[in-house]
């Protein structure tokens, strides 16, 4: 594992050993000797003017993995009105930056809770390059195990092991896994793992889902961060018309994220990055729950997400595609109070409602 330090300011004068070889927005710098320097200063795209609270939302933090010091920021409607659906959310940041505590992520989760009336669980995960992939995906799976433990403890009246603040509001029979950008990629991999487990269970193999108190009804992929060696048209466009020259996400940044986060020596066709790479699992054999894929028309990643949705649909998987034609990558984080963000959350709400209704009809 590389050495890690937190810079008090900018990097010192460059020498052969401490020369910066990778730099991500000044937030993460990798030195030639392998040291990783993380800035203690928050990013400029997380302004302090974003709201810290909402009148109809309560929130708090909990540690879900003490050994790794991984935190979940939990949100629920206030006042409480009975059990409500649960949205598990993983933040973005190219697997290298980001946190549930960042102001833009927090503001979005506040609004997501307020507007959908759901419990939102914004889970952190280990970041690269200190922890290269698949560490983030493994942490996503670990969080789902923590959620199952919460549900099981609550169902068995073992209140000492359950967080009553959460369990009194959460309907563990209506759980959705959502993610933004890299977090959406985590959601994809969790959907594949769950779908493979269902297939194995149907084949008569024992699985943990037999005793599962958590029922995942669907997955919501917000501007997923997929990669591949072969460039797409939207990637080749570099700066889509209307995105603006100051757009944070460029092809160079995308490549840098993958270079820093993938296992050493791996290409962008690695299964973690490319769902359709040469070594990726056959998605046609996966028992997918309904998937909502959201894309932004001015996003370099647009074409990969559209291709993902179209290829799932072509093999009969339950997938919906929603496109925000005039939006750029991360639009709902940069402007959490915008009308586009409002429409996005409405789309999420409609998807949640439709999955719940479909499940009820199937059970009838």
């Amino acid at each position: 594992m590389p050495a890690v330090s937190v810079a008090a300011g900018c990097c010192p004068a460059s020498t052969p050993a401490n020369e910066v070889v990778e730099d991500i927005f000044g937030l993460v710098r990798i030195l030639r000797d392998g040291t990783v320097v993380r800035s203690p200063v928050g990013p400029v795209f997380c302004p302090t003017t974003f709201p810290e609270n909402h009148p109809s939302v309560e929130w708090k933090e909990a540690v879900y993995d003490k050994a790794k010091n991984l935190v979940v920021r939990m949100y629920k409607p206030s006042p409480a009105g009975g059990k409500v659906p649960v949205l598990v959310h993983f933040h973005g940041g190219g697997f290298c930056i980001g946190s549930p505590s960042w102001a833009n992520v927090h503001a979005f989760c506040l609004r997501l809770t307020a507007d959908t009336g759901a419990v939102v669980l914004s889970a952190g995960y280990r970041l690269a390059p200190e922890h290269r992939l698949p560490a983030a995906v493994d942490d996503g799976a670990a969080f789902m195990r923590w959620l199952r433990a919460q549900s099981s403890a609550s169902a068995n009246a073992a209140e000492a092991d359950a967080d009553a603040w959460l369990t009194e509001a959460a309907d563990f029979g209506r759980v959705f896994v959502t993610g933004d950008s890299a977090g959406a990629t985590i959601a994809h991999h969790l959907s594949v793992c769950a779908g493979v487990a269902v297939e194995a269970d149907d084949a008569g193999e024992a699985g943990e889902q037999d005793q599962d108190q958590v029922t995942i009804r669907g997955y919501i992929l917000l501007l997923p961060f997929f990669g591949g060696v072969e460039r797409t048209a939207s990637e080749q466009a570099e700066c889509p018309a209307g995105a603006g020259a100051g757009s944070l996400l460029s092809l160079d940044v995308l490549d840098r994220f993958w270079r820093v986060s993938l296992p050493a020596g791996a290409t962008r066709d690695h299964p973690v990055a490319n769902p359709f790479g040469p070594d990726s699992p056959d998605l046609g054999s996966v028992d997918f729950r309904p998937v909502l894929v959201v894309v932004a028309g001015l996003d370099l990643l647009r074409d990969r997400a559209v291709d993902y949705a179209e290829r799932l649909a072509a093999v009969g998987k339950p997938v919906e595609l929603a496109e925000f034609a005039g939006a750029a990558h991360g639009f709902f984080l940069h402007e959490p109070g915008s009308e586009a963000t409002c429409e996005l959350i409405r789309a999420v709400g409609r998807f949640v409602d439709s999955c719940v209704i479909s499940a009820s009809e199937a059970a009838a």
Side-chain angles (χ1 to χ4, degrees):
M1 181 182 299
V4 181
S5 67
V6 177
C10 61
C11 287
S14 179
T15 66
N18 68 17
E19 178 186 1
V20 177
V21 294
E22 296 282 7
D23 188 332
I24 300 175
F25 301 135
L27 299 172
V28 181
R29 294 184 177 96
I30 304 177
L31 309 186
R32 185 167 297 282
D33 65 2
T35 299
V36 178
V37 181
R38 288 192 175 269
S39 170
V41 180
V44 296
F45 45 84
C46 291
T48 56
T49 54
F50 281 176
E52 294 184 7
N53 294 289
H54 191 286
S56 63
V57 177
E58 296 179 37
W59 66 275
K60 74 168 193 172
E61 286 188 351
V63 175
Y64 77 86
D65 189 323
K66 292 182 180 179
K68 298 182 177 70
N69 194 31
L70 294 176
V71 172
V72 54
R73 188 166 283 200
M74 306 188 291
Y75 306 78
K76 68 179 181 180
S78 178
K83 301 277 189 175
V84 297
V86 177
L87 303 181
V88 175
H89 182 72
F90 297 103
H91 66 79
F95 298 108
C96 300
I97 58 176
S99 166
S101 65
W102 274 18
N104 57 356
V105 177
H106 178 67
F108 175 66
C109 288
L110 282 173
R111 184 162 189 190
L112 188 61
T113 304
D115 290 4
T116 63
V119 166
V120 174
L121 305 177
S122 180
Y125 51 87
R126 289 171 295 168
L127 300 175
E130 300 94 327
H131 306 282
R132 287 179 177 262
L133 291 165
V137 177
D138 293 342
D139 292 342
F143 179 76
M144 298 308 295
R145 290 193 294 272
W146 177 87
L147 189 64
R148 293 185 182 101
Q150 291 293 312
S151 174
S152 179
S154 175
N156 294 322
E159 293 299 334
D161 297 323
D163 189 320
W165 187 95
L166 169 63
T167 59
E168 69 182 14
D171 182 349
F172 295 108
R174 293 183 289 165
V175 175
F176 295 80
V177 180
T178 135
D180 153 41
S181 194
T185 309
I186 294 175
H188 157 74
H189 287 290
L190 294 180
S191 72
V192 172
C193 289
V196 169
V198 169
E199 286 289 311
D201 187 51
D202 289 345
E205 301 176 20
E208 67 178 26
Q209 289 198 352
D210 292 340
Q211 306 298 324
D212 208 345
Q213 300 290 336
V214 170
T215 302
I216 300 175
R217 300 294 183 186
Y219 295 83
I220 302 165
L221 279 56
L222 307 176
L223 320 186
F225 179 41
F226 293 138
V229 170
E230 185 177 351
R231 301 296 190 190
T232 66
S234 61
E235 289 171 347
Q236 291 173 339
E238 183 65 38
C239 184
S247 178
L248 290 171
L249 202 61
S250 66
L251 194 58
D252 175 68
V253 169
L254 291 179
D255 289 351
R256 200 176 311 164
F257 277 142
W258 287 125
R259 194 163 58 242
V260 168
S261 65
L262 285 170
T267 72
R268 297 187 303 275
D269 277 338
H270 188 280
V272 176
N274 188 350
F276 305 105
D279 298 320
S280 298
D282 174 19
L283 299 187
S285 63
V286 175
D287 185 5
F288 277 94
R289 292 292 181 263
V291 180
L292 172 63
V293 180
V294 175
V295 302
L298 305 182
D299 187 358
L300 269 68
L301 296 168
R302 174 199 176 276
D303 288 0
R304 290 196 185 278
V306 171
D307 178 67
Y308 171 81
E310 289 178 345
R311 290 172 77 162
L312 286 188
V315 290
K317 304 307 176 184
V319 59
E320 297 179 26
L321 178 66
E323 179 163 2
F324 289 76
H329 192 81
F331 67 91
F332 48 88
L333 296 176
H334 303 311
E335 298 180 320
S338 70
E339 178 55 34
T341 301
C342 183
E343 177 51 37
L344 168 68
I345 294 177
R346 283 196 292 263
V348 170
R350 289 192 296 269
F351 177 75
V352 168
D353 290 343
S354 69
C355 291
V356 170
I357 292 172
S358 297
S360 299
E361 292 175 345

